[in-house]
Amino acid sequence: MNPTVAQAVARFRSLVEGQLERVETMKQALPPMDYASLRPIVVGVAPGDGIGPVIARETVRVLQRLLKPEISEGRVRLRPIEGLTLENRIRHGQAIPDDVLAACKACHVILKGPTTTPEKGGPLPNIESANVAMRRELDLFANVRPVRVPRKGIDWVFFRENTEGPYALGSQGLQLGEDLAFDFSVTTAQGSERIIRMAFEYAERHAHELVLGVTKANVIKTTDGLFLQVGERVARDHPGIRWESWYADIVAAKLIDPKRRRDFHVFVLPNLYGDILTDEAAEIQGGVGTAGSANLGTRYAMFEAIHGSGDRMVREGRAEYADPSSLLRAAAMMLGHIGFPVRAAALDMALDVCTQLDPQVVVTGRPTGATAQAFTDHLLNTLESPELESRWTVFRRRLA
């Protein structure tokens, strides 16, 4: 056998063996976490890189206000997680240094700021994405991203598979000489089923009649084909909900089609398509700085802003003008997840009022707009206003 071919075969064999072990692990999944039984609920706060410390600081301020009784009584603990910075990750040569990962695993949920991922060929060491590593290490298989724009009739929730596809093996590709390079993508029946089932269960709870499965199975026939096969099987367990298969490029077009996008509510997608389409959806909402996401597993959960670390803003001295809305939206999702749905709804309402109904304090990312601190001050005042719910209700009715 040609030595180059033998090298490729050995690499692929190793990847297959690792993924077969992962399948066996998924077959022995733990039951979901019962947050009501925990005392305290430990929330790890990892600020991340770039603008992360700025927006994390403001988000912690809001959580401290909303959870003041629980924090004082010891029912909730906000615990700083240091070391998830680009400098520390480069120093250790790891996407997540071992001690930082151990600190994350000692928490029940994690609120995470953005982290920088160096690109191959750039000036920085080519370490793996901290996000990808975190999702893999904590088995955070579901990335849930809601996007709401009431004035446009948009109410979407994307269920993006988080631990498979090309991202799962993105740092383990193979380049043979100067002329040939391979990357690998993986899909399993178990990984597909758990994310698709979560989407259907959400649709049932919220009285939605349609779940869109988004792939490119007309071209990517094997892995995307398996995802759709599993979707069809799960759909048979939910006869009151339609399952439709759509191609990712068509969905990308229809998200900006005012005539069709109001018909969509629940999407479920493999990893790569989910990353791209949720950024597009967030841009329709007002930009990636306005949307948060949940990364859910059975044992752990991580909530984060969906945007990058804004290194250019830091270099230009504009970090204090970063928009904290995305991480605040993620914090609202976290509050709902750990058992505080009323306060989660209040934070979402206040963000709607401050960013869409009555944007008195506007963040532009530049000195022409407000600082993150000024926006958060305004948000806290709005949260404590006795008129919050009535203002929000009028706003939603007017746009219905």
Side-chain angles (χ1 to χ4, degrees):
M1 183 181 292
N2 183 304
T4 301
V5 175
Q7 178 188 3
V9 169
R11 171 68 65 85
F12 189 61
R13 179 187 180 93
S14 173
L15 294 176
V16 170
E17 289 173 345
Q19 292 303 309
L20 287 173
E21 290 177 6
R22 194 174 70 87
V23 166
E24 292 305 313
T25 300
M26 283 190 285
K27 289 178 179 179
Q28 304 167 21
L30 297 171
M33 177 70 70
D34 177 15
Y35 292 98
S37 66
L38 299 176
R39 187 181 181 94
I41 300 172
V42 180
V43 178
V45 180
D49 301 316
I51 62 172
V54 172
I55 63 175
R57 178 194 70 208
E58 300 307 317
T59 304
V60 166
R61 276 212 296 149
V62 172
L63 288 174
Q64 287 172 333
R65 187 78 62 89
L66 284 171
L67 295 173
K68 185 176 181 179
E70 287 75 19
I71 292 172
S72 63
E73 295 167 7
R75 292 176 54 198
V76 175
R77 181 178 303 159
L78 303 181
R79 176 184 294 171
I81 297 177
E82 306 295 339
L84 199 64
T85 63
L86 180 61
E87 295 78 11
N88 193 46
R89 289 154 53 217
I90 289 175
R91 188 179 306 117
H92 287 82
Q94 294 176 286
I96 308 174
D98 292 338
D99 60 334
V100 178
L101 181 59
C104 291
K105 289 184 174 181
C107 302
H108 300 115
V109 296
I110 300 160
L111 183 70
K112 177 187 160 296
T115 50
T116 303
T117 303
E119 61 183 27
K120 185 175 181 180
L124 297 174
N126 186 30
I127 57 174
E128 184 186 20
S129 161
N131 277 359
V132 172
M134 187 84 76
R135 292 162 183 167
R136 181 181 64 246
E137 294 292 339
L138 304 184
D139 196 25
L140 305 174
F141 66 87
N143 184 258
V144 185
R145 295 187 177 183
V147 170
R148 291 189 301 274
V149 190
R151 67 181 181 278
K152 296 181 179 180
I154 291 173
D155 184 8
W156 299 328
V157 179
F158 295 84
F159 289 83
R160 168 191 169 193
E161 204 292 318
N162 233 3
T163 58
E164 301 191 347
Y167 287 16
L169 303 175
S171 63
Q172 301 180 58
L174 178 65
Q175 183 165 341
L176 303 174
E178 296 181 356
D179 301 322
L180 183 61
F182 289 94
D183 273 314
F184 303 98
S185 184
V186 61
T187 297
T188 68
Q190 290 77 16
S192 300
E193 179 170 348
R194 59 188 184 177
I195 186 68
I196 294 170
R197 198 168 291 284
M198 182 179 285
F200 270 93
E201 290 170 353
Y202 175 90
E204 280 188 338
R205 289 196 306 273
H206 294 84
H208 295 308
E209 299 177 352
L210 172 65
V211 172
L212 258 61
V214 183
T215 68
K216 280 294 291 182
N218 56 331
V219 178
I220 313 298
K221 294 182 181 294
T222 305
T223 49
D224 284 8
L226 177 58
F227 189 87
L228 290 185
Q229 291 171 21
V230 173
E232 291 165 2
R233 185 173 73 240
V234 173
R236 290 195 286 270
D237 296 334
H238 302 271
I241 300 174
R242 297 196 326 276
W243 163 259
E244 292 185 5
S245 167
W246 284 57
Y247 298 140
D249 50 343
I250 300 301
V251 172
K254 293 305 176 185
L255 290 183
I256 59 172
D257 179 356
K259 298 187 296 296
R260 290 304 311 272
R261 63 189 180 191
R262 290 171 175 259
D263 300 332
F264 305 144
H265 296 288
V266 183
F267 304 78
V268 60
L269 319 85
N271 205 335
L272 174 60
Y273 314 126
D275 188 7
I276 295 169
L277 291 178
T278 53
D279 280 3
E280 180 193 9
E283 192 66 26
I284 295 168
Q285 180 175 263
V288 292
T290 68
S293 70
N295 299 267
L296 308 178
T298 53
R299 170 63 181 83
Y300 298 101
M302 177 178 73
F303 300 83
E304 62 179 345
I306 75 167
H307 55 70
S309 55
D311 291 336
R312 183 180 292 108
M313 292 184 69
V314 176
R315 289 196 301 270
E316 296 176 356
R318 296 186 287 116
E320 290 296 330
Y321 295 93
D323 189 344
S325 296
S326 182
L327 197 59
L328 286 163
R329 291 285 187 188
M333 297 178 75
M334 184 191 75
L335 288 169
H337 185 74
I338 63 175
F340 301 101
V342 174
R343 275 166 274 192
L347 179 51
D348 265 331
M349 283 190 288
L351 284 163
D352 281 349
V353 169
C354 291
T355 61
Q356 298 190 53
L357 168 62
D358 190 16
Q360 297 179 15
V361 179
V362 179
V363 178
T364 65
R366 297 182 179 277
T368 54
T371 63
Q373 181 176 343
F375 175 84
T376 306
D377 288 343
H378 177 56
L379 177 73
L380 287 169
N381 289 335
T382 303
L383 265 170
E384 294 174 351
S385 167
E387 301 174 353
L388 171 61
E389 188 166 0
S390 61
R391 292 177 68 196
W392 181 83
T393 301
V394 169
F395 171 53
R396 301 284 286 194
R397 285 175 179 169
R398 191 173 74 223
L399 297 173

